[in-house]
Amino acid sequence: MENMAGMHRSCGCGEVKDNDSGKVLTLAGWVQRRRDHGGLIFIDLRDRTGLVQLVFSPQYGEEAFHKAEDVRNEYVVAVVGKVRERSEETINPHMKTGRLEVVVSEMRVLNKAKTPPFYIEDGVDVDENVRLRYRYLDLRRPEMQRNLIMRHKITHEMREFLDERGFLEIETPMLTKSTPEGARDYLVPSRVNPGKFYALPQSPQLFKQLLMVSGFERYFQVARCFRDEDLRADRQPEFTQLDMEVSFEDQDFILDLVEHMMQRVFKNVLDVDIQIPFQRITWTDAMNLYGSDKPDLRFDMHFYDISDLLRDTGFKVFRNVLDNGGVVKAINVKGDAKIPRRELDGLVEYVGHYGAKGLAWIGFNEDGTLKCQITKFLGEDKIREIGRFCEAEKGDLILIIADKPKVVAQALGELRLEMGRRMNLIDPNEFCFRWVVDFPMFEYSEEEKRYVAEHHPFTAPRDEDVQYLLTNPEKVYAKAYDMVLNGVEAGGGSLRIYQEDLQEKVFQAIGISKEEAEEKFGFLLKAFQYGAPPHEGLAFGLDRLVMLMLHRESIRDVIAFPKTQSAIDQMSEAPNVVTDKQLDELHIKLVTKEDKEKELF
């Protein structure tokens, strides 16, 4: 194989411009495709900037021509050649450089390549596991390169924006103390401290609060975080977030700051104009109207609570639900009264996946008649009263679920999204931002039989709710906020507790004793004794935000080397076994299932 000695690239393949016509350039990259026309050979050369067509002929360079006869797709080559304009009939409008070609006088084959397991092109139809196994080839595909280039640009814009506003980028530790309050930690054994473990950070939360105590006032970090949890399309065991914290400001400041940052990022990266300020909706209204704390408001179709209309009904299905603390809610699907019965039966099955025991419907036909399976139980007058309450017109379809509040919220919320998709109400190119504010401070964990923090235990309660911390925790709402984009939580944060006595009360409310608080968070509580300023913060899931901005279905498409849904790196085969020597050095002994069974007997 040859090398690049003495050859220096003039530009990227996709950067050859019209005013380069007549110039001699040096280019390098991968062979995308080769076409042999006898006395002429054409090669499309690719690098991260794009493609350019190369022309080989014995009259321009006989040695280069003979080399071109032998190259194959994905060979790595460097060429020297003169740029010329293509004839009108050979212009390729689908290539950025499609008006030009490079007539090659010299070529060096820098490396050969085996035939790849899939084509290096956009839209390739191949199993994702194969793509992940050969990720270095998958990342050669133009769409994947565009994704990572856009990710870089998004991060760059965020850094510049925050730098201009006095924020300092400060790194926090990766090896920290385990404070298991939420998702499971990834643990790292300490060789020099036998029997003790570090934890990889789930977020820089405690350290960024300590930076506020330290007087840095405005901090940010593009932070790597780790959570040992079950995975979904938008979850990874290791992920990146844009983390920030400020002192001496209020909630309006940070929401305004983030809105302006989003406006700048979308404009400079996507050339999309984002309207600010973002509308705000309380958690209570979001749950009551849409059944979700991250509602997709690219379309409305809100819930109607028809419980009070049905309290006096003799229909046992509704009465039993209401008598046992349940609710009856409905959505109005405009213009869908003609839906076939088989599709309605399919919707009953659909909501069943989310715990709903049934689904009632009322179709208001164009001729004024009703299509309803519960008219005989409620009477036509009550059915039409429900229609008026739900603002139904001729041609509309009312869908009703009666169940426990949580079941109705989830099942009807998912049904709302499904009907929005079926009715083509969701514009895939729209970016709909909302702030969801005033979250409950706590939620009751049936598993742990105690209240746990909805966000984290360092979130400040609303001033008017502090009185309920130890007596009625369910009444306490937090100074917390989530940024929702197209029905996905893109980021979230809160005002923080910065007074030791209030922090201790919150720990008490969630069943953390003084001793346990001291053991887990003693270094933070001690810092509060030395003058902690009022502070607040927010973090974005950077992977998730980039995914949404680029209209990708999975965050794996915007991460260079992601894990599968079973937390495995298909390419490097991590996690994997280690040697007995390594385990001995870490003072760790593996206990197999068989070992445990032997101990029992």
Side-chain angles (χ1 to χ4, degrees):
M1 295 296 101
E2 300 168 281
N3 58 46
M4 289 285 293
M7 300 181 75
H8 303 284
R9 284 205 295 177
S10 307
C11 62
C13 296
E15 295 172 334
V16 181
K17 299 180 176 60
D18 289 351
N19 60 6
D20 289 324
S21 183
K23 294 181 181 178
V24 175
L25 300 181
T26 300
L27 304 172
W30 287 261
V31 174
Q32 176 73 16
R33 63 180 64 87
R34 173 185 169 279
R35 303 177 299 283
D36 193 335
H37 291 196
L40 285 176
I41 295 175
F42 296 93
I43 286 177
D44 290 342
L45 191 65
R46 183 194 74 244
D47 65 11
R48 78 179 197 190
T49 64
L51 294 166
V52 68
Q53 178 172 281
L54 309 179
V55 183
F56 296 82
S57 169
Q59 74 178 93
Y60 302 124
E62 187 169 352
E63 184 181 356
F65 177 80
H66 290 308
K67 287 181 181 178
E69 289 180 309
D70 295 328
V71 302
R72 295 293 180 266
N73 287 4
E74 299 310 309
Y75 275 34
V76 187
V77 302
V79 299
V80 177
K82 180 178 286 189
V83 181
R84 73 180 182 189
E85 294 182 3
R86 295 198 203 186
S87 59
E88 197 68 34
E89 65 274 10
T90 62
I91 289 174
N92 185 347
H94 303 296
M95 283 172 61
K96 188 167 61 172
T97 61
R99 301 181 61 84
L100 303 167
E101 58 190 11
V102 178
V103 181
V104 177
S105 57
E106 180 186 352
M107 179 168 75
R108 296 184 190 177
V109 178
L110 304 175
N111 220 335
K112 295 181 178 180
K114 293 172 63 175
T115 302
F118 49 83
Y119 291 111
I120 309 299
E121 61 186 20
D122 289 349
V124 63
D125 184 15
V126 64
D127 183 88
E128 187 185 40
N129 285 327
V130 177
R131 288 175 51 206
L132 293 177
R133 196 173 305 128
Y134 296 94
R135 188 60 163 183
Y136 42 86
L137 297 179
D138 192 38
L139 290 176
R140 288 185 191 175
R141 297 191 303 115
E143 63 180 333
M144 294 301 294
Q145 296 206 334
R146 283 194 298 271
N147 290 349
L148 293 187
I149 290 169
M150 294 293 270
R151 180 184 174 120
H152 158 76
K153 290 180 178 178
I154 291 166
T155 308
H156 175 73
E157 288 292 338
M158 289 176 170
R159 277 191 163 106
E160 284 208 333
F161 176 90
L162 293 170
D163 178 68
E164 291 166 7
R165 284 155 182 80
F167 282 76
L168 302 174
E169 185 168 9
I170 303 174
E171 295 176 337
T172 54
M174 299 294 277
L175 296 174
T176 69
K177 181 181 180 180
S178 179
T179 54
E181 186 69 31
R184 288 182 292 273
D185 289 327
Y186 275 103
L187 300 177
V188 180
S190 171
R191 180 182 60 82
V192 296
N193 296 281
K196 295 185 177 180
F197 294 80
Y198 300 104
L200 299 180
Q202 295 187 30
S203 86
Q205 182 64 42
L206 301 184
F207 288 99
K208 68 179 182 177
Q209 289 191 249
L210 289 169
L211 286 170
M212 296 303 100
V213 178
S214 303
F216 285 99
E217 298 188 14
R218 296 190 178 194
Y219 140 95
F220 82 98
Q221 182 182 186
V222 179
R224 296 293 285 170
C225 304
F226 306 84
R227 291 180 188 171
D228 187 6
E229 58 185 351
D230 297 332
L231 307 181
R232 299 196 299 266
D234 61 347
R235 294 281 175 90
Q236 284 280 299
E238 55 179 314
F239 56 96
T240 305
Q241 65 185 36
L242 177 71
D243 199 63
M244 61 182 78
E245 198 82 8
V246 297
S247 294
F248 305 116
E249 300 291 355
D250 60 12
Q251 178 172 297
D252 287 339
F253 170 83
I254 199 159
L255 300 194
D256 179 74
L257 176 87
V258 170
E259 288 167 359
H260 280 88
M261 182 167 64
M262 288 296 103
Q263 188 178 54
R264 169 170 166 165
V265 168
F266 273 74
K267 183 62 178 176
N268 290 356
V269 176
L270 300 181
D271 196 24
V272 169
D273 292 311
I274 298 296
Q275 298 303 309
I276 59 173
F278 302 157
Q279 292 183 29
R280 302 182 191 182
I281 181 173
T282 66
W283 177 90
T284 300
D285 285 345
M287 295 302 296
N288 287 340
L289 293 174
Y290 306 103
S292 172
D293 59 4
K294 44 184 181 295
D296 188 343
L297 297 182
R298 286 175 289 181
F299 68 107
D300 187 22
M301 200 187 291
H302 61 270
F303 294 180
Y304 295 89
D305 189 340
I306 58 175
S307 301
D308 289 343
L309 296 181
L310 299 168
R311 291 194 188 280
D312 60 352
T313 180
F315 186 28
K316 289 184 179 180
V317 172
F318 289 164
R319 281 294 299 274
N320 288 342
V321 166
L322 294 172
D323 289 348
N324 288 284
V327 294
V328 186
K329 291 190 176 184
I331 54 173
N332 182 352
V333 187
K334 307 296 291 183
D336 199 31
K338 293 180 180 179
I339 184 172
R341 177 59 188 260
R342 67 180 181 279
E343 289 190 27
L344 286 168
D345 291 340
L347 293 178
V348 175
E349 184 179 346
Y350 182 84
V351 298
H353 294 309
Y354 299 99
K357 299 178 186 67
L359 175 70
W361 60 81
I362 309 170
F364 293 86
N365 298 321
E366 293 287 355
D367 62 4
T369 60
L370 298 173
K371 176 169 64 177
C372 178
Q373 89 277 42
I374 57 173
T375 304
K376 60 183 176 182
F377 303 109
L378 297 180
E380 185 171 332
D381 288 347
K382 179 62 73 173
I383 294 295
R384 293 196 180 278
E385 183 182 3
I386 292 171
R388 288 191 294 274
F389 186 84
C390 296
E391 302 175 278
E393 302 171 307
K394 289 181 179 180
D396 291 352
L397 174 70
I398 304 297
L399 299 173
I400 304 168
I401 295 180
D403 217 306
K404 295 176 182 177
K406 281 190 175 181
V407 173
V408 172
Q410 184 174 18
L412 196 59
E414 293 293 339
L415 182 61
R416 170 186 176 269
L417 292 172
E418 177 64 16
M419 299 314 293
R421 288 187 287 266
R422 292 189 185 192
M423 301 299 291
N424 295 316
L425 301 178
I426 302 174
D427 181 352
N429 297 312
E430 181 183 354
F431 294 104
C432 178
F433 285 92
R434 288 291 187 278
W435 287 112
V436 178
V437 299
D438 295 343
F439 279 76
M441 184 82 175
F442 310 108
E443 62 178 341
Y444 190 77
S445 169
E446 290 292 344
E447 181 181 345
E448 299 184 42
K449 302 301 180 187
R450 66 178 179 95
Y451 284 99
V452 295
E454 177 79 21
H455 276 65
H456 54 64
F458 313 104
T459 298
R462 295 190 308 191
D463 296 342
E464 62 269 31
D465 296 341
V466 171
Q467 60 183 313
Y468 302 119
L469 274 173
L470 302 181
T471 56
N472 292 293
E474 68 278 1
K475 285 188 175 184
V476 181
Y477 286 81
K479 297 176 181 178
Y481 34 81
D482 277 1
M483 190 185 78
V484 176
L485 173 56
N486 294 355
V488 177
E489 178 201 334
S494 66
L495 275 70
R496 318 302 190 189
I497 298 169
Y498 62 97
Q499 296 141 322
E500 185 182 12
D501 57 343
L502 181 57
Q503 185 67 74
E504 287 178 350
K505 273 189 180 179
V506 170
F507 284 151
Q508 192 176 345
I510 57 176
I512 296 179
S513 66
K514 281 190 175 184
E515 293 75 21
E516 187 180 358
E518 181 63 32
E519 180 187 344
K520 289 182 175 180
F521 312 111
F523 60 98
L524 179 68
L525 299 177
K526 185 180 293 184
F528 284 174
Q529 299 171 0
Y530 292 90
H535 56 284
E536 60 182 321
L538 182 141
F540 290 108
L542 187 62
D543 313 299
R544 196 178 300 179
L545 181 64
V546 176
M547 176 190 75
L548 293 169
M549 290 180 68
L550 302 185
H551 301 295
R552 307 300 298 196
E553 294 297 319
S554 167
I555 59 171
R556 290 189 293 276
D557 285 342
V558 298
I559 298 172
F561 299 103
K563 306 291 190 292
T564 65
Q565 288 190 351
S566 54
I568 291 172
D569 184 335
Q570 294 275 37
M571 182 186 65
S572 68
E573 298 183 339
N576 213 320
V577 296
V578 296
T579 65
D580 290 339
K581 181 182 177 183
Q582 289 173 287
L583 292 175
D584 289 341
E585 288 176 341
L586 295 169
H587 313 282
I588 290 176
K589 178 182 178 182
L590 296 182
V591 179
T592 66
K593 184 179 179 182
E594 290 75 16
D595 293 334
K596 287 185 176 180
E597 289 174 351
K598 287 178 183 177
E599 288 178 7
L600 293 174
F601 299 100

